[in-house]
Amino acid sequence: MKILHTSDWHVGKVLKGQSRAEEHTQVLAGVIEIARQERPDLVIVAGDLYDTAAPTPEATRLVTRALTALRRTGADVVAIGGNHDNGQALDALRPWAEAAGITLRGGVRDNPAEHVIDGVTADGERWQLAALPFLSQRYAVRAVEMYDLTAAEANQTYADHLGRVLARLCADFTEPDRVHLVTAHLTVVGASTGGGERDAHTVLGYAVPATVFPGNAHYVALGHLHRSQRVIGPCPVRYSGSPLAVDFGEQENVGSVTVVEVTARTAAQIREVPVPGTTPLRTVRGTLAQLAELDAPEGWLRVYVREQPRAGLREEVQELLPRALEIRIDPELVPAPGSGTRTAQRAGRSPRELFADYLGSRGHADEGVQELFDELLEEADR
């Protein structure tokens, strides 16, 4: 059978105030075109369909249309909820999804059988997929209790709970003539973050070892980390990565999907397929004179300006580079804490003097900013 693995669409993402709806439309059209060319038997979307738990109607329309288009390629489609998604809201779409022939699992249900999906390809290859949406620490404990596994102690780790839940979902991975698959939205120890993940859900407390996955699984399709990568484990484990760089921390990532070819008797053959239509994110740096001579690269820009801060500097940069979304003073020009002007003693100093000392200590000495501060101070004293 052939599998197309994608994740972390983050539809509805706004970058520094810039809507990316048009980019998402192009990128998802690219994913759909790959599916039309590859003709997979199964498409797995491993979470974070949306960027927010309260997506706009436009974002919902784009996601549902993309899932429908993937289904129309002839593939079975399974999508799970991620940490950015609202699991209950996704589950509310299940009647629509089932009518469209799409399997949607937004959150963990009371019955573990609902998370074990069986299928058969057009060529008769039987497969079984254990689908685990994102679980917070609180709901990981609840899931263990629901599934009547060993007692969940309050001091057990998140990894303990996830391991028990996955063991329950994969308990039937015993038939030799069936392809055994897992999809989940989580962080695996040792994997590299892509730059745009939610920090609270990638810290050590949320990381699990790859040993939580069964050794007899033919392929584990993960979401959550935005960099496409293989994870060393007891079976083939992989993040497909996000098809679109979510923020400037991901500018080196290459948007792609993962295509897997496997049978019950043969090992998975895995390859990355780049997604066309992605808009790159770039970082440029220089003085205003250097930026004025710059042949601006394609895409959205983060600009590190090698100038001393002053009022109006941002506007000058944006006039030179209209696609600059983030403008900062080059970190190399910002004095280290404790360097520069000696920290002023507060006793007997006026607010104006203290503010002037602060600006000087940070390398921000600018008469225009000082005048604005004076105006605000006068208003506050009235």
Side-chain angles (χ1 to χ4, degrees), residues 254-327:
V254 177
S256 65
V257 298
T258 300
V259 174
V260 183
E261 296 183 66
V262 63
T263 73
R265 299 288 185 176
T266 59
Q269 301 297 313
I270 300 168
R271 54 190 168 90
E272 289 184 37
V273 180
V275 176
T278 58
T279 301
L281 303 180
R282 309 290 189 195
T283 297
V284 297
R285 53 185 4 116
T287 64
L288 279 177
Q290 291 170 332
L291 295 175
E293 299 296 325
L294 180 69
D295 185 9
E298 178 189 1
W300 301 113
L301 303 180
R302 174 173 60 183
V303 182
Y304 287 135
V305 191
R306 300 189 64 82
E307 301 272 353
Q308 291 301 319
R310 63 175 183 274
L313 181 58
R314 171 180 291 275
E315 289 74 13
E316 293 179 59
V317 173
Q318 287 181 321
E319 185 175 348
L320 294 173
L321 301 170
R323 291 181 67 83
L325 297 183
E326 182 177 336
I327 300 170

Side-chain angles (χ1 to χ4, degrees), residues 128-140:
Q128 185 175 77
L129 171 66
L132 180 63
F134 174 76
L135 273 175
S136 67
Q137 289 184 338
R138 178 178 59 173
Y139 284 101

Side-chain angles (χ1 to χ4, degrees), residues 3-8 42-48 77-81 103 105 108 115-117 127-134 162 165-166 169-170 173 180-186 213-214 217 219-224 236-240:
I3 304 158
L4 189 150
H5 168 202
T6 180
S7 72
D8 296 277
L42 172 64
V43 174
I44 298 174
V45 187
D48 279 357
V77 177
V78 177
I80 63 173
T103 301
R105 296 293 182 265
V108 174
H115 296 279
V116 181
I117 299 135
W127 55 268
Q128 185 175 77
L129 171 66
L132 180 63
F134 174 76
L162 263 291
V165 172
L166 282 167
L169 298 183
C170 301
F173 281 12
H180 302 130
L181 306 168
V182 178
T183 185
H185 193 89
L186 45 74
F213 304 115
Y219 182 72
V220 176
L222 297 181
H224 187 40
V237 180
R238 188 170 183 84
Y239 287 97
S240 68

Side-chain angles (χ1 to χ4, degrees), residues 100-377:
I102 297 164
T103 301
L104 194 58
R105 296 293 182 265
V108 174
R109 293 299 188 97
D110 293 352
N111 182 4
E114 288 199 44
H115 296 279
V116 181
I117 299 135
D118 294 296
V120 182
T121 70
D123 294 332
E125 188 78 58
R126 297 168 61 236
W127 55 268
Q128 185 175 77
L129 171 66
L132 180 63
F134 174 76
L135 273 175
S136 67
Q137 289 184 338
R138 178 178 59 173
Y139 284 101
V141 175
R142 180 171 174 266
V144 170
E145 293 170 341
M146 285 192 307
Y147 291 174
D148 293 325
L149 302 176
T150 57
E153 302 293 341
N155 62 348
Q156 283 181 313
T157 67
Y158 179 77
D160 290 334
H161 297 313
L162 263 291
R164 295 175 189 277
V165 172
L166 282 167
R168 176 64 180 84
L169 298 183
C170 301
D172 292 333
F173 281 12
T174 55
E175 295 186 29
D177 294 324
R178 184 165 59 180
V179 177
H180 302 130
L181 306 168
V182 178
T183 185
H185 193 89
L186 45 74
T187 303
V188 176
V189 175
S192 300
T193 60
E197 303 85 358
R198 186 170 290 170
D199 289 342
H201 295 148
T202 55
V203 294
L204 187 59
Y206 266 94
V208 302
T211 51
V212 298
F213 304 115
N216 58 350
H218 290 82
Y219 182 72
V220 176
L222 297 181
H224 187 40
L225 302 188
H226 294 177
R227 180 170 296 160
S228 175
Q229 59 192 293
R230 171 182 174 243
V231 180
I232 297 175
C235 56
V237 180
R238 188 170 183 84
Y239 287 97
S240 68
S242 175
L244 177 71
V246 173
D247 63 27
F248 287 102
E250 301 182 8
Q251 63 182 20
E252 301 301 325
N253 294 359
V254 177
S256 65
V257 298
T258 300
V259 174
V260 183
E261 296 183 66
V262 63
T263 73
R265 299 288 185 176
T266 59
Q269 301 297 313
I270 300 168
R271 54 190 168 90
E272 289 184 37
V273 180
V275 176
T278 58
T279 301
L281 303 180
R282 309 290 189 195
T283 297
V284 297
R285 53 185 4 116
T287 64
L288 279 177
Q290 291 170 332
L291 295 175
E293 299 296 325
L294 180 69
D295 185 9
E298 178 189 1
W300 301 113
L301 303 180
R302 174 173 60 183
V303 182
Y304 287 135
V305 191
R306 300 189 64 82
E307 301 272 353
Q308 291 301 319
R310 63 175 183 274
L313 181 58
R314 171 180 291 275
E315 289 74 13
E316 293 179 59
V317 173
Q318 287 181 321
E319 185 175 348
L320 294 173
L321 301 170
R323 291 181 67 83
L325 297 183
E326 182 177 336
I327 300 170
R328 298 183 179 183
I329 301 302
D330 194 319
E332 296 178 3
L333 296 184
V334 177
S339 66
T341 304
R342 181 179 58 86
T343 301
Q345 296 295 322
R346 294 190 176 192
R349 307 295 301 280
S350 70
R352 188 183 193 283
E353 291 171 326
L354 291 173
F355 186 67
D357 283 341
Y358 169 76
L359 290 178
S361 70
R362 302 297 295 172
H364 291 186
D366 181 0
E367 192 62 32
V369 174
Q370 183 70 62
E371 290 174 0
L372 289 173
F373 177 81
D374 292 343
E375 292 177 13
L376 291 172
L377 189 62

